[in-house]
Amino acid sequence: MTIKQILEESILKLKLKKIKNPHLNAEILLSTILKKQREFILSHTEYKLTKLQIKNYQTLINRRINGEPIAYLIGHKEFYGFNFNVNKNVLIPRPETELMVGEALKFTNYNSQPTTLIDIGTGSGCIIITLAKLLNQKPKNQKLIGIDISKKALLVAKQNALAHNVNKKIKFIKGNLLQPIIHNSKFITPNSKILILANLPYVCESWKKNYSVDSIGLKFEPQIALFTGKNGLELYEKLFKQINELQNKNYKFKNNIDIFCEFDPSQTILIKKLIKEYFKNAKLQIKKDLAGYNRLAIIKFQ
Ligand code: GLN
């Protein structure tokens, strides 16, 4: 079977199952199997595939038809212009999360004070690794930490840090939200400004049943990285409680913490209320993502 024939066959299959962008899907998966660029596929249409290649390709096409996200099938996803390994133990990085990275870069690059950046629920590590690559402060002035409750997710994050050559710059810790820091504040550089970055699971359980065919891919992602509680803000509330605890424990942390939280646009009113409840004197700013939707809460204490 040639590239041309197998592409025609698989595109037809994908179209029948109403998968969006069937050509692109078929070509990307074939280039993964052949370990060649897409350009090769398009310019070598008469190239003959081996039996094994055909079998492996058909398996991928069938998984795609089943709704499995392409990032899991090819094992990586682009975020902020960098490539990150992903597998079923981590959430696939989303374009809307690039907003958080952009704002964190502004924050750190305008700030000459020593900084501790803590990425809570780091997953693939895409946020903290991108920051480690792009921050222009002197390394001795900054500490970067990634925390996740999942050991398997931390393995992926560590692999990614190594692949991007920033493994020595980031400390990855297993733990429940901010718990490891509360237990051991040696992780924080003394007198540093702390920036907490949280893209926690914020999809509420009740939305699950309303997912359309388009969102079917969510089924394949780690459910603990997506879903939480009745309104989706349960974990943010838990985190805010922990931050209160940290601030009360040590007065130095009172005004020295900034918090960035990603949320769903439909949660705007609720998250504002929650922030007011836990941080009475904080300044709150809501930022919109590139699609124009409220996406990021920035909480500052001075
Ligand atoms: N933005 C993601 C989605 O809508 C959710 C990510 C998260 O829960 N942190 O699928």
Side-chain angles (χ1 to χ4, degrees):
M1 215 177 204
T2 64
I3 285 187
K4 185 168 182 260
Q5 287 165 332
I6 203 155
L7 276 181
E8 274 171 6
E9 185 189 281
S10 55
I11 289 166
L12 197 66
K13 270 194 187 170
L14 292 164
K15 272 188 185 161
L16 279 174
K17 292 286 174 174
K18 302 204 163 35
I19 302 289
K20 277 190 193 159
N21 306 315
H23 287 84
L24 191 64
N25 274 271
E27 288 157 18
I28 291 176
L29 293 179
L30 191 54
S31 61
T32 303
I33 293 292
L34 299 182
K35 299 189 178 68
K36 301 266 190 219
Q37 299 283 329
R38 240 178 97 219
E39 291 70 32
F40 174 89
I41 307 243
L42 299 175
S43 58
H44 293 76
T45 49
E46 297 309 317
Y47 178 96
K48 277 206 165 64
L49 279 79
T50 66
K51 277 211 176 85
L52 184 65
Q53 286 170 334
I54 296 174
K55 189 171 154 259
N56 290 343
Y57 181 61
Q58 278 163 347
T59 306
L60 284 192
I61 290 289
N62 288 336
R63 284 169 67 186
R64 184 69 197 106
I65 281 171
N66 240 335
E68 193 165 341
I70 199 135
Y72 286 153
L73 299 178
I74 62 174
H76 56 93
K77 171 81 184 176
E78 191 169 299
F79 177 81
Y80 222 91
F82 299 116
N83 202 27
F84 288 93
N85 290 327
V86 293
N87 64 26
K88 62 176 182 2
N89 299 310
V90 298
L91 193 81
I92 299 167
R94 306 286 206 265
E96 58 266 28
T97 305
E98 294 184 355
L99 170 67
M100 181 182 281
V101 172
E103 290 299 319
L105 280 173
K106 277 190 217 162
F107 170 95
T108 32
N109 289 343
Y110 292 149
N111 212 320
S112 53
Q113 229 181 312
T115 325
T116 305
L117 288 109
I118 310 172
D119 175 19
I120 313 243
T122 196
S124 64
C126 64
I127 297 173
I128 200 78
I129 292 169
T130 305
L131 288 171
K133 286 183 76 90
L134 298 178
L135 287 173
N136 63 14
Q137 276 187 39
K138 291 192 187 70
K140 70 172 169 48
N141 269 344
Q142 55 183 233
K143 219 176 208 163
L144 297 125
I145 300 169
I147 302 176
D148 207 291
I149 198 157
S150 154
K151 219 167 130 184
K152 289 179 176 166
L154 284 173
L155 268 174
V156 179
K158 284 179 189 169
Q159 264 177 13
N160 277 323
L162 192 66
H164 285 285
N165 205 16
V166 291
N167 51 316
K168 293 209 178 83
K169 286 192 185 172
I170 307 170
K171 179 150 190 63
F172 288 105
I173 312 169
K174 183 176 177 315
N176 191 345
L177 305 171
L178 208 52
Q179 205 68 50
I181 309 287
I182 295 175
H183 283 315
N184 195 346
S185 48
K186 81 161 183 340
F187 287 123
I188 296 176
T189 311
N191 302 320
S192 73
K193 183 99 195 159
I194 301 164
L195 177 56
I196 293 178
L197 302 160
N199 177 18
L200 299 180
Y202 56 72
V203 180
C204 53
E205 303 281 356
S206 62
W207 299 350
K208 246 183 187 171
K209 53 180 183 296
N210 295 330
Y211 277 124
S212 62
V213 183
D214 276 336
S215 310
I216 218 147
L218 292 181
K219 268 197 335 205
F220 292 86
E221 294 190 278
Q223 303 295 289
I224 64 154
L226 276 166
F227 297 100
T228 182
K230 279 201 247 7
N231 60 16
L233 296 177
E234 224 158 70
L235 284 174
Y236 280 117
E237 180 153 15
K238 208 167 159 193
L239 173 68
F240 295 167
K241 270 190 196 146
Q242 290 182 341
I243 295 173
N244 269 340
E245 198 183 319
L246 193 67
Q247 288 175 316
N248 291 334
K249 213 167 138 184
N250 190 333
Y251 76 96
K252 274 193 207 146
F253 296 145
K254 252 223 137 73
N255 295 323
N256 254 340
I257 302 182
D258 282 14
I259 313 160
F260 290 10
C261 305
E262 184 182 308
F263 59 93
D264 186 85
S266 66
Q267 295 163 327
T268 308
I269 294 175
L270 280 180
I271 200 162
K272 276 186 176 172
K273 219 175 119 206
L274 199 64
I275 292 166
K276 284 260 136 58
E277 200 180 304
Y278 279 86
F279 309 115
K280 285 189 185 59
N281 303 318
K283 269 195 211 143
L284 170 64
Q285 228 185 330
I286 302 284
K287 296 261 174 191
K288 290 189 194 307
D289 61 20
L290 279 177
Y293 296 116
N294 289 346
R295 185 64 69 181
L296 186 70
I298 297 188
I299 307 162
K300 290 179 191 251
F301 291 89
Q302 47 174 294

